[in-house]
Amino acid sequence: MGRRYDTISFLSDLGTGSEHVGVIKAVLRDMAPSALVLDLTHDVPAFDVRAGSLSLARSIGYLPEGVVLAVVDPGTGTDRKAVAIEVAGGGGELVGPDNGLLAPAVAMAGGAERAVLLTDPTFHLEGPGATFAGRDVFAPVAAHLCNGVDLYELGQAIEPDLLLPGVVPLPRDEAGVTVCEVVWVDRFGNCQLNVGVDDIAEYGDRVRVTVGDASDPIVRVAARAATFGDVTVGAVGLVVDSAGMLALVLDRRSAAEELGVAAGDQVTLSPLPADAGPVGVTTPITLRRP
Protein backbone atom coordinates (compact mmCIF):
# COMPACT_ATOMS: atom_id res chain seq x y z
CA MET A 1 0.00 0.00 0.00
CA GLY A 2 1.07 3.55 -0.68
CA ARG A 3 0.32 6.79 1.05
CA ARG A 4 -3.33 7.85 1.34
CA TYR A 5 -4.40 11.36 0.30
CA ASP A 6 -7.45 13.39 1.27
CA THR A 7 -7.37 16.13 -1.41
CA ILE A 8 -7.71 16.10 -5.19
CA SER A 9 -6.97 19.39 -6.99
CA PHE A 10 -8.79 19.34 -10.34
CA LEU A 11 -8.04 21.45 -13.44
CA SER A 12 -9.50 21.03 -16.92
CA ASP A 13 -10.69 22.66 -20.13
CA LEU A 14 -14.08 20.93 -19.88
CA GLY A 15 -16.05 24.02 -18.91
CA THR A 16 -19.22 23.97 -16.87
CA GLY A 17 -21.74 24.07 -19.69
CA SER A 18 -22.05 20.29 -19.83
CA GLU A 19 -22.09 17.39 -17.40
CA HIS A 20 -18.43 16.40 -17.94
CA VAL A 21 -16.94 18.02 -14.83
CA GLY A 22 -19.84 16.84 -12.69
CA VAL A 23 -19.50 13.27 -13.93
CA ILE A 24 -15.77 13.20 -13.16
CA LYS A 25 -16.44 14.56 -9.67
CA ALA A 26 -19.16 11.92 -9.23
CA VAL A 27 -16.65 9.19 -10.10
CA LEU A 28 -14.19 10.64 -7.58
CA ARG A 29 -16.90 10.85 -4.92
CA ASP A 30 -18.00 7.27 -5.53
CA MET A 31 -14.50 5.77 -5.58
CA ALA A 32 -12.78 7.98 -2.97
CA PRO A 33 -15.60 9.34 -0.77
CA SER A 34 -13.24 10.73 1.87
CA ALA A 35 -11.33 12.93 -0.60
CA LEU A 36 -12.12 16.63 -0.97
CA VAL A 37 -12.08 17.87 -4.57
CA LEU A 38 -10.77 21.42 -5.13
CA ASP A 39 -11.72 22.99 -8.46
CA LEU A 40 -8.76 25.03 -9.68
CA THR A 41 -10.43 25.99 -12.95
CA HIS A 42 -12.39 24.36 -15.74
CA ASP A 43 -12.15 27.40 -17.99
CA VAL A 44 -8.80 26.63 -19.62
CA PRO A 45 -9.37 27.44 -23.32
CA ALA A 46 -10.40 24.30 -25.18
CA PHE A 47 -7.45 22.17 -26.33
CA ASP A 48 -4.94 24.75 -25.03
CA VAL A 49 -2.34 22.56 -23.36
CA ARG A 50 0.03 25.46 -22.88
CA ALA A 51 -2.55 27.61 -21.08
CA GLY A 52 -3.44 24.66 -18.87
CA SER A 53 0.20 23.98 -18.06
CA LEU A 54 0.79 27.61 -17.12
CA SER A 55 -2.30 27.70 -14.90
CA LEU A 56 -1.18 24.54 -13.15
CA ALA A 57 2.37 25.81 -12.73
CA ARG A 58 1.10 29.06 -11.20
CA SER A 59 -1.03 27.08 -8.75
CA ILE A 60 1.16 24.16 -7.74
CA GLY A 61 3.07 25.94 -4.96
CA TYR A 62 -0.18 26.75 -3.15
CA LEU A 63 -1.91 23.37 -3.41
CA PRO A 64 -2.22 21.10 -0.38
CA GLU A 65 -0.53 17.73 -0.41
CA GLY A 66 -2.53 15.23 -2.40
CA VAL A 67 -3.41 14.29 -5.95
CA VAL A 68 -3.50 16.76 -8.84
CA LEU A 69 -5.91 15.74 -11.61
CA ALA A 70 -5.31 17.69 -14.83
CA VAL A 71 -7.40 17.11 -17.95
CA VAL A 72 -6.54 19.18 -21.03
CA ASP A 73 -6.33 16.33 -23.45
CA PRO A 74 -6.91 17.01 -27.15
CA GLY A 75 -5.23 13.68 -27.91
CA THR A 76 -7.61 11.60 -25.83
CA GLY A 77 -8.14 8.15 -27.31
CA THR A 78 -4.98 8.33 -29.43
CA ASP A 79 -1.59 6.79 -28.72
CA ARG A 80 -0.59 9.67 -26.42
CA LYS A 81 0.42 8.33 -23.02
CA ALA A 82 -1.55 8.61 -19.79
CA VAL A 83 0.71 9.09 -16.77
CA ALA A 84 0.94 9.55 -13.04
CA ILE A 85 3.96 11.36 -11.59
CA GLU A 86 5.15 11.54 -8.01
CA VAL A 87 6.79 14.72 -6.67
CA ALA A 88 7.98 16.19 -3.37
CA GLY A 89 8.90 12.93 -1.70
CA GLY A 90 5.41 11.56 -2.13
CA GLY A 91 3.73 14.79 -1.09
CA GLY A 92 1.94 14.95 -4.40
CA GLU A 93 0.89 12.80 -7.35
CA LEU A 94 0.02 14.41 -10.70
CA VAL A 95 -2.33 12.50 -13.00
CA GLY A 96 -3.07 13.40 -16.61
CA PRO A 97 -1.98 13.11 -20.23
CA ASP A 98 1.69 13.09 -21.17
CA ASN A 99 1.39 16.03 -23.57
CA GLY A 100 3.37 18.71 -21.74
CA LEU A 101 0.45 19.68 -19.50
CA LEU A 102 2.04 18.44 -16.29
CA ALA A 103 5.70 19.21 -17.00
CA PRO A 104 5.97 22.86 -15.80
CA ALA A 105 4.14 22.07 -12.54
CA VAL A 106 6.36 19.04 -11.98
CA ALA A 107 9.42 21.24 -12.44
CA MET A 108 8.02 23.85 -10.03
CA ALA A 109 7.48 21.08 -7.47
CA GLY A 110 11.13 20.05 -7.62
CA GLY A 111 11.03 17.51 -10.43
CA ALA A 112 9.60 14.04 -10.96
CA GLU A 113 10.72 11.33 -8.56
CA ARG A 114 8.68 8.39 -9.86
CA ALA A 115 6.47 8.05 -12.92
CA VAL A 116 4.26 5.39 -14.46
CA LEU A 117 2.28 4.86 -17.61
CA LEU A 118 -1.34 4.12 -16.71
CA THR A 119 -1.40 0.82 -18.54
CA ASP A 120 -3.26 -1.41 -16.05
CA PRO A 121 -6.99 -1.42 -16.92
CA THR A 122 -7.75 -2.90 -13.51
CA PHE A 123 -7.64 0.65 -12.16
CA HIS A 124 -9.81 2.16 -14.92
CA LEU A 125 -13.52 2.28 -15.65
CA GLU A 126 -14.86 0.48 -18.69
CA GLY A 127 -16.29 3.18 -20.93
CA PRO A 128 -18.42 2.89 -24.07
CA GLY A 129 -15.75 4.68 -26.12
CA ALA A 130 -12.17 5.90 -25.96
CA THR A 131 -12.80 9.65 -25.89
CA PHE A 132 -13.35 10.42 -22.21
CA ALA A 133 -10.12 9.49 -20.45
CA GLY A 134 -10.88 12.09 -17.77
CA ARG A 135 -13.77 9.97 -16.57
CA ASP A 136 -12.56 6.49 -17.46
CA VAL A 137 -8.81 6.63 -16.73
CA PHE A 138 -7.60 9.72 -14.89
CA ALA A 139 -10.40 10.08 -12.33
CA PRO A 140 -10.32 6.39 -11.24
CA VAL A 141 -6.53 6.51 -10.97
CA ALA A 142 -6.72 9.67 -8.84
CA ALA A 143 -9.26 7.96 -6.59
CA HIS A 144 -7.11 4.84 -6.23
CA LEU A 145 -4.12 6.95 -5.25
CA CYS A 146 -6.24 8.63 -2.57
CA ASN A 147 -7.22 5.19 -1.32
CA GLY A 148 -3.60 4.16 -0.83
CA VAL A 149 -2.75 2.31 -4.04
CA ASP A 150 0.97 2.72 -4.69
CA LEU A 151 2.02 4.51 -7.85
CA TYR A 152 3.91 1.51 -9.20
CA GLU A 153 0.78 -0.66 -9.02
CA LEU A 154 -0.97 1.49 -11.62
CA GLY A 155 1.08 0.53 -14.65
CA GLN A 156 4.49 0.44 -16.26
CA ALA A 157 7.22 2.41 -14.49
CA ILE A 158 9.15 4.78 -16.73
CA GLU A 159 12.11 7.07 -16.33
CA PRO A 160 10.88 10.61 -15.62
CA ASP A 161 13.29 11.92 -18.26
CA LEU A 162 11.14 10.23 -20.90
CA LEU A 163 8.11 12.40 -20.12
CA LEU A 164 7.27 15.10 -22.64
CA PRO A 165 8.65 18.53 -21.68
CA GLY A 166 6.53 21.60 -21.20
CA VAL A 167 5.58 23.96 -24.00
CA VAL A 168 6.35 27.25 -22.22
CA PRO A 169 8.65 29.44 -24.36
CA LEU A 170 11.82 31.05 -23.05
CA PRO A 171 12.87 34.67 -23.68
CA ARG A 172 15.94 35.30 -25.78
CA ASP A 173 18.48 38.06 -26.05
CA GLU A 174 18.99 39.53 -29.52
CA ALA A 175 21.55 42.28 -29.97
CA GLY A 176 20.95 43.77 -26.55
CA VAL A 177 17.14 43.55 -26.53
CA THR A 178 14.92 40.93 -24.95
CA VAL A 179 12.51 39.14 -27.26
CA CYS A 180 9.74 37.58 -25.20
CA GLU A 181 6.12 36.50 -25.43
CA VAL A 182 2.78 37.17 -23.82
CA VAL A 183 2.08 33.85 -22.13
CA TRP A 184 -1.20 34.77 -20.44
CA VAL A 185 -3.78 37.55 -20.46
CA ASP A 186 -5.99 37.53 -17.37
CA ARG A 187 -9.59 38.72 -17.24
CA PHE A 188 -8.44 42.25 -16.36
CA GLY A 189 -6.25 42.51 -19.46
CA ASN A 190 -2.92 42.22 -17.64
CA CYS A 191 -0.31 40.61 -19.92
CA GLN A 192 2.05 38.18 -18.23
CA LEU A 193 5.39 37.86 -20.02
CA ASN A 194 7.80 34.93 -19.96
CA VAL A 195 10.35 37.27 -18.37
CA GLY A 196 11.55 37.49 -14.80
CA VAL A 197 12.96 40.49 -12.98
CA ASP A 198 16.55 39.28 -13.36
CA ASP A 199 16.20 38.97 -17.14
CA ILE A 200 16.07 42.75 -17.59
CA ALA A 201 17.64 43.91 -14.33
CA GLU A 202 20.06 46.21 -16.16
CA TYR A 203 17.35 48.01 -18.11
CA GLY A 204 16.51 50.41 -15.30
CA ASP A 205 13.15 51.76 -14.17
CA ARG A 206 11.78 52.45 -17.65
CA VAL A 207 11.70 50.04 -20.57
CA ARG A 208 10.81 50.46 -24.22
CA VAL A 209 8.05 48.03 -25.22
CA THR A 210 7.56 47.14 -28.89
CA VAL A 211 4.67 45.02 -30.14
CA GLY A 212 2.89 44.42 -33.41
CA ASP A 213 4.00 44.10 -36.99
CA ALA A 214 7.61 45.09 -37.69
CA SER A 215 6.50 47.39 -40.50
CA ASP A 216 4.10 49.31 -38.24
CA PRO A 217 4.95 48.55 -34.60
CA ILE A 218 3.36 49.98 -31.49
CA VAL A 219 6.09 51.44 -29.27
CA ARG A 220 5.39 52.48 -25.69
CA VAL A 221 7.41 53.17 -22.57
CA ALA A 222 6.65 51.00 -19.54
CA ALA A 223 7.60 52.17 -16.07
CA ARG A 224 8.42 49.74 -13.31
CA ALA A 225 5.76 49.77 -10.62
CA ALA A 226 5.03 47.79 -7.47
CA THR A 227 1.23 47.81 -7.83
CA PHE A 228 -1.43 48.65 -10.37
CA GLY A 229 -2.27 51.81 -8.46
CA ASP A 230 1.30 53.04 -8.83
CA VAL A 231 1.01 53.16 -12.63
CA THR A 232 0.69 56.69 -13.98
CA VAL A 233 -2.64 57.50 -15.63
CA GLY A 234 -2.38 56.77 -19.34
CA ALA A 235 0.94 54.95 -18.96
CA VAL A 236 1.87 51.30 -19.27
CA GLY A 237 3.30 49.72 -16.14
CA LEU A 238 5.64 46.78 -15.73
CA VAL A 239 4.91 44.96 -12.47
CA VAL A 240 5.93 41.69 -10.86
CA ASP A 241 2.71 39.68 -10.90
CA SER A 242 1.42 37.12 -8.42
CA ALA A 243 3.43 34.36 -10.11
CA GLY A 244 6.69 36.31 -9.90
CA MET A 245 6.81 37.13 -13.62
CA LEU A 246 6.80 40.56 -15.24
CA ALA A 247 3.47 41.74 -16.61
CA LEU A 248 2.41 44.70 -18.73
CA VAL A 249 -0.48 46.44 -17.00
CA LEU A 250 -2.60 49.57 -16.87
CA ASP A 251 -4.41 50.85 -13.81
CA ARG A 252 -8.02 49.67 -14.03
CA ARG A 253 -7.78 49.26 -17.79
CA SER A 254 -6.82 46.47 -20.15
CA ALA A 255 -3.20 46.53 -21.26
CA ALA A 256 -4.01 43.81 -23.80
CA GLU A 257 -6.63 46.02 -25.42
CA GLU A 258 -4.46 49.13 -25.24
CA LEU A 259 -1.48 47.40 -26.87
CA GLY A 260 -3.46 45.13 -29.16
CA VAL A 261 -1.85 41.92 -27.94
CA ALA A 262 -3.02 38.43 -26.99
CA ALA A 263 -1.46 35.30 -25.54
CA GLY A 264 1.25 34.04 -27.88
CA ASP A 265 2.15 37.46 -29.31
CA GLN A 266 5.77 38.56 -29.41
CA VAL A 267 6.95 41.52 -27.33
CA THR A 268 10.36 43.18 -27.44
CA LEU A 269 11.78 44.89 -24.35
CA SER A 270 14.77 47.18 -24.70
CA PRO A 271 16.64 49.74 -22.58
CA LEU A 272 15.42 53.29 -22.80
CA PRO A 273 17.91 56.06 -23.64
CA ALA A 274 18.77 58.30 -20.70
CA ASP A 275 17.35 61.37 -22.48
CA ALA A 276 13.95 59.78 -23.22
CA GLY A 277 10.88 61.84 -22.41
CA PRO A 278 8.44 61.34 -19.57
CA VAL A 279 6.20 58.32 -19.21
CA GLY A 280 2.54 58.73 -20.11
CA VAL A 281 0.18 59.81 -22.81
CA THR A 282 -0.54 63.50 -23.36
CA THR A 283 -3.80 64.59 -24.97
CA PRO A 284 -4.20 68.28 -25.90
CA ILE A 285 -7.55 69.82 -25.01
CA THR A 286 -9.13 73.23 -25.59
CA LEU A 287 -11.24 74.92 -22.94
CA ARG A 288 -14.15 77.03 -24.21
CA ARG A 289 -16.39 79.47 -22.45
CA PRO A 290 -19.89 78.10 -21.91
Side-chain angles (χ1 to χ4, degrees), residues 96-186:
D98 183 29
N99 59 4
L101 175 65
L102 306 178
V106 168
M108 292 289 289
E113 296 172 359
R114 295 195 296 167
V116 297
L117 303 179
L118 304 178
T119 53
D120 189 342
T122 305
F123 298 100
H124 306 167
L125 294 181
E126 185 175 347
T131 62
F132 199 177
R135 177 194 64 195
D136 300 333
V137 179
F138 300 132
V141 164
H144 284 301
L145 286 168
C146 286
N147 293 336
V149 174
D150 185 72
L151 188 77
Y152 281 160
E153 296 182 52
L154 299 170
Q156 177 187 345
I158 61 169
E159 288 294 326
D161 290 344
L162 296 177
L163 298 169
L164 286 180
V167 290
V168 180
L170 297 175
R172 63 184 187 274
D173 182 84
E174 292 186 358
V177 303
T178 299
V179 180
C180 56
E181 187 173 308
V182 177
V183 293
W184 180 46
V185 177
D186 68 16

Side-chain angles (χ1 to χ4, degrees), residues 8-12 24 28 67-71 93-96 134 138-139 142:
I8 299 171
S9 301
F10 183 18
L11 171 146
S12 79
I24 288 176
L28 296 171
V67 178
V68 175
L69 172 59
V71 184
E93 313 277 358
L94 287 81
V95 177
F138 300 132

Side-chain angles (χ1 to χ4, degrees), residues 11 51-62 101 103-106 108 168 243:
L11 171 146
S53 72
L54 289 166
S55 182
L56 193 59
R58 289 191 297 267
S59 305
I60 192 71
Y62 300 93
L101 175 65
V106 168
M108 292 289 289
V168 180

Side-chain angles (χ1 to χ4, degrees), residues 255-290:
E257 183 177 331
E258 175 86 9
L259 298 173
V261 297
D265 286 351
Q266 181 176 292
V267 175
T268 299
L269 305 179
S270 55
L272 198 66
D275 59 352
V279 175
V281 175
T282 301
T283 304
I285 61 173
T286 301
L287 298 179
R288 300 180 183 274
R289 291 182 181 275

